[in-house]
Amino acid sequence: MPQSTAALIPPFLRPVSRVAIRRVTSYQADIAAVLSETLREFDLPIRDKTVLLKPNLVGFDPLGMMNTHPSVIAATREALLRLGAAVVLIGDGPALERDTQAVLESIRMREFTGPLARIFVDLNVDDVERVSLQTRASRLKELYLPRTVRGADYVVSLAKLKTHHWAGVTLSLKNMFGIVPGGCYGWPKNILHWAGIDRAILDINAAVRPDLAIVDGIVGMEGNGPIQGMSKAGGALIVGDDPVAVDATCARLMELLPEKIKHIARAATLLGHIRPEKIQQIGESIESTRVPFAVIDAFRHLRGTVGSTGLEA
Amino acid sequence: MHVMFGFARRETSPALPLEGRESHEDENKAFVERVCLPFLLSSQNEDGGWGFRSETRSRVEASAWALLALRHWNFPTSLTEPISRGLRFLEAAQLPDGSWPASAESREGCWVTSLACWALLGVEEFSKSAGHGLSWLCADQPGESRLWFRLLRRLQGGRRVSSQKDFYYGWSWTSGTASWVEPTSFAVIVLASAVANLLPEAARRSRFAEAMLYDRMCEGGGWNCGNPMVYGVPGEPQVSTTAWALLALRRHAERPENQRSVQWLEQAWPKVPSPTSLALAHLALNASGRGSADLGTALRKALNDSEMPWNVPTAAWATLALCGSRNWLPSGPKQ
């Protein structure tokens, strides 16, 4: 069972989080080796466990800039198996497209991961369990969540580095929208928008807090994301055991102020760290990997300036 | 009031040329009998329902699609035992207000109500249950039909990212949220069986919903899940939603919007060779009189080659598509 109530800890009681930035500029690189080396530093409790990878599969994406790249998905799976996981499943419930198989074929997933029949779960049509929400940040009191998610010992949010038309950015926290099943809520999962996107993100992550967050920032999306934006080379993989800290780091890497991104700031009250002094950086520094991502006008206020001490409001 | 509902009479697709039609139809039917029907029958659960996949818990949506496929295949013969058990599962899953929930644990009705009503249509024993469901459907209003929501939208003015006409609305996926193409299409299709003197509200709601669907069509034809403008810029149509919208609007087949959308679908399906999209494209093109032997062949190949486990709705849609007829779509009410 993934962390839930135990994960709701105010920042002053939470130990320092760790986030690694690894420079990777191409999907042809040996990503499995990079991730294996990085994940060893986190001493993950996954031996003989069932791990669920939750990539960001949004829609048809022949150009490879909208979804988590299949090479990153396959490499993560391989790295976790090398580290002793018994089973590593891949599961997602695309929000805008009911034909999940067509989405998988559009990104040629099988060519990277091998046969999908036994390792991929369409979370939109999985069996579900009723889960009472503990945070009640949004109007939602309960959600029906997939059994595969609830039954996994360890959940990895495997997001893409993107800006987002409604939420500012979509990273490892927003990526968890995809565990909400279309088979219960439709395509798209409009109930989450009506409940308030920023608040619903907190509720979902409090119900199923990812144990590990990996963001595919090798190529991301800027501007009018998550599907209408422009491809943007980020040249990095961002990895951490705290999804809030990972998202805050990603935002800083994009030259955006995480404190002004509502869902990250809200999640920082209970789910992880947002303050730089509470995040131990491993690998590359933010300064050396920073790439400014364009945002739509509605999110211009997220843009920070690079001062002598880092990103400033 | 004694409410009766009917399906259209059995008819075969008129678009296929006579030459070669029989062999294609034979191949399609053989495939259904050899592959699709055994899958559906073996996937039925003890409680009479179907899950989305084999060996998963029964859900209303999957059960409704399986029943439509099995009932259609048996038409007009009497109900078989699996069908009777399935219909009883649906009846038992109905909520006291007449709606159906998406999952057994939920007590809130949603879009699957249209599908459950559809599956029960025409069976005298369940006509009361279907009528109750259709009444719920007529009363179910999406969130954007509310006055406060319209007011808010008007105040938003230039900040809006879509140009849709707010006075048209259809049906939402879940109660109190916005109208979307697919649930609206399901409701329009099933309410075609209950218009005029039986449920006058159905006719009014269907007219509004049809107007909404045309308003939400993408400029070059076809539909995506909700709006031609996605995040403020023109979005791409999708095969599955285009198929459902065309089926809902099939009585307006001569309208240029329908014809543009059919053309879009004909060009789109070869690029999306997955069983689900091919089955839905086949259903919509059959109903538009543009059935294609190539599409049937592609669908059979996709199902045969599929490495992913089959899911029940796709198998049901494939069964309906490969039958090549349209009598699975509800017709007007019997007086």
Side-chain angles (χ1 to χ4, degrees):
Chain A
M1 178 87 57
Q3 301 172 40
S4 53
T5 44
L8 305 183
I9 303 171
F12 60 90
L13 291 175
R14 187 179 286 280
V16 168
S17 300
R18 289 177 300 161
V19 176
I21 302 175
R22 298 292 183 200
R23 194 181 291 281
V24 182
T25 55
S26 162
Y27 290 110
Q28 276 72 53
D30 189 352
I31 299 170
V34 172
L35 284 173
S36 294
E37 184 192 325
T38 305
L39 294 178
R40 263 188 217 106
E41 298 187 42
F42 285 87
D43 194 21
L44 307 179
I46 57 169
R47 182 157 292 283
D48 301 326
K49 304 285 188 190
T50 297
V51 178
L52 175 69
L53 302 185
K54 190 327 195 159
N56 185 217
L57 302 178
V58 184
F60 300 143
D61 183 23
L63 299 178
M65 63 177 181
M66 189 193 297
N67 303 312
T68 308
H69 197 281
S71 66
V72 175
I73 300 170
T76 306
R77 187 167 182 276
E78 189 181 328
L80 292 168
L81 287 169
R82 279 185 205 168
L83 290 172
V87 177
V88 181
L89 299 171
I90 303 164
D92 195 12
L96 299 171
E97 176 59 62
R98 188 188 268 247
D99 191 349
T100 302
Q101 188 172 349
V103 174
L104 295 173
E105 285 173 9
S106 81
I107 60 172
R108 299 180 292 117
M109 178 80 104
R110 187 172 38 175
E111 292 176 26
F112 294 87
T113 60
L116 289 166
R118 290 180 185 277
I119 60 168
F120 185 85
V121 182
D122 183 351
L123 299 180
N124 279 329
V125 294
D126 199 17
D127 277 344
V128 293
E129 292 176 10
R130 179 162 46 195
V131 178
S132 289
L133 298 177
Q134 319 217 348
T135 41
R136 304 275 177 99
S138 73
R139 280 180 261 165
L140 302 170
K141 295 188 176 74
E142 62 182 26
L143 278 173
Y144 291 87
L145 294 177
R147 273 195 168 176
T148 301
V149 175
R150 299 283 293 165
D153 299 310
Y154 199 82
V155 174
V156 181
S157 177
L158 194 47
K160 187 85 167 170
L161 191 75
K162 291 190 293 186
T163 53
H164 192 281
H165 187 96
W166 299 117
V169 293
T170 170
L171 302 163
S172 66
L173 293 165
K174 171 69 175 63
N175 179 41
M176 295 302 281
F177 258 40
I179 67 167
V180 176
C184 291
Y185 299 101
W187 290 260
K189 302 141 187 183
N190 193 216
I191 193 169
L192 302 178
H193 301 113
W194 281 68
I197 292 178
D198 299 317
R199 293 170 185 273
I201 291 173
L202 173 57
D203 283 340
I204 293 166
N205 280 275
V208 183
R209 181 181 184 268
D211 301 284
L212 183 73
I214 300 175
V215 178
D216 166 13
I218 298 171
V219 175
M221 181 183 283
E222 66 175 355
N224 195 22
I227 55 178
Q228 301 278 19
M230 302 293 288
S231 166
K232 178 79 172 183
L237 288 170
I238 304 92
V239 182
D241 53 9
D242 169 352
V244 182
V246 166
D247 284 11
T249 301
C250 287
R252 292 182 177 112
L253 200 146
M254 300 160 90
E255 282 195 9
L256 303 174
L257 295 163
E259 298 82 359
K260 292 195 173 183
I261 299 169
K262 286 182 186 169
H263 70 266
I264 300 179
R266 203 165 258 132
T269 60
L270 282 173
L271 293 173
H273 286 305
I274 192 170
R275 292 167 54 189
E277 64 271 27
K278 291 284 191 179
I279 303 170
Q280 182 193 344
Q281 274 331 133
I282 304 169
E284 305 286 336
S285 67
I286 293 175
E287 289 70 28
S288 68
T289 46
R290 186 176 279 147
V291 181
F293 271 52
V295 289
I296 59 171
D297 282 351
F299 288 107
R300 267 190 305 191
H301 64 282
L302 304 183
R303 173 74 57 219
T305 55
V306 183
S308 56
T309 57
L311 197 64
E312 297 162 3
Chain B
M1 183 167 56
H2 184 67
V3 181
M4 286 187 71
F5 310 93
F7 290 97
R9 66 187 172 81
R10 182 184 279 277
E11 52 189 323
T12 51
S13 176
L16 289 173
L18 273 174
E19 190 180 335
R21 182 203 288 176
E22 280 185 9
S23 65
H24 283 298
E25 287 182 354
D26 289 347
E27 283 175 41
N28 287 345
K29 285 177 181 170
F31 185 85
V32 168
E33 286 178 346
R34 186 172 49 81
V35 182
C36 298
L37 291 176
F39 171 80
L40 288 173
L41 291 170
S42 67
S43 301
Q44 189 171 26
N45 291 327
E46 284 291 311
D47 62 9
W50 283 260
F52 279 107
R53 297 189 311 272
S54 293
E55 297 173 13
T56 60
R57 286 192 292 183
S58 297
R59 302 279 282 272
V60 171
E61 170 158 13
S63 302
W65 290 125
L67 280 166
L68 276 166
L70 293 176
R71 286 192 59 198
H72 171 71
W73 189 256
N74 282 290
F75 184 90
T77 56
S78 59
L79 302 177
T80 62
E81 192 263 342
I83 294 173
S84 297
R85 286 173 51 222
L87 293 171
R88 281 197 294 276
F89 166 81
L90 281 187
E91 187 185 43
Q94 191 170 26
L95 298 172
D97 65 2
S99 67
W100 274 267
S103 69
E105 300 86 350
S106 174
R107 308 311 297 164
E108 195 169 351
C110 65
W111 87 92
V112 301
T113 300
S114 299
L115 308 178
C117 290
W118 189 354
L120 296 174
L121 285 179
V123 186
E124 182 66 29
E125 186 185 344
F126 300 104
S127 62
K128 192 176 167 192
S129 183
H132 197 190
L134 292 175
S135 298
W136 180 89
L137 206 56
C138 287
D140 181 48
Q141 302 272 347
E144 84 270 27
S145 67
R146 296 173 191 157
L147 187 63
W148 66 264
F149 184 87
R150 290 170 181 227
L151 220 63
L152 191 69
R153 296 277 285 191
R154 185 159 290 191
L155 289 172
Q156 280 181 320
R159 285 184 54 221
R160 292 178 47 181
V161 295
S162 63
S163 57
Q164 68 197 43
K165 295 186 176 74
D166 287 341
F167 44 86
Y168 297 137
Y169 56 85
W171 279 266
S172 54
W173 290 103
T174 54
S175 195
T177 57
S179 306
W180 295 87
V181 169
E182 200 171 318
T184 297
S185 300
F186 294 151
V188 168
I189 289 169
V190 74
L191 287 178
S193 66
V195 292
N197 59 324
L198 294 178
L199 285 168
E201 180 65 2
R204 190 189 72 82
R205 289 292 305 275
S206 291
R207 275 199 307 277
F208 257 64
E210 287 179 354
M212 185 210 98
L213 291 175
Y214 283 118
D215 183 51
R216 304 283 183 92
M217 195 186 83
C218 295
E219 198 176 329
W223 284 262
N224 59 41
C225 58
N227 201 296
M229 300 294 280
V230 181
Y231 299 113
V233 294
E236 291 289 318
Q238 296 168 327
V239 168
S240 56
T241 39
T242 297
W244 288 119
L246 279 172
L247 287 163
L249 297 169
R250 67 194 185 284
R251 69 192 182 99
H252 308 294
E254 301 308 314
R255 280 182 64 150
E257 296 98 320
N258 290 51
Q259 292 179 8
R260 277 211 303 279
S261 298
V262 166
Q263 282 169 10
W264 178 85
L265 192 55
E266 286 177 325
Q267 289 166 6
W269 71 255
K271 299 172 201 157
V272 192
S274 73
T276 300
S277 290
L278 291 175
L280 292 175
H282 203 344
L283 283 175
L285 292 174
N286 275 347
S288 304
R290 302 277 276 268
S292 144
D294 288 346
L295 184 44
T297 305
L299 173 56
R300 294 197 314 267
K301 181 175 187 319
L303 286 163
N304 263 332
D305 295 351
S306 178
E307 180 239 348
M308 298 287 282
W310 281 26
N311 75 53
V312 166
T314 299
W317 296 328
T319 300
L320 293 168
L322 294 173
C323 286
S325 73
R326 287 182 267 175
N327 70 307
W328 61 285
L329 289 161
S331 63
K334 290 176 182 170
Q335 301 298 324

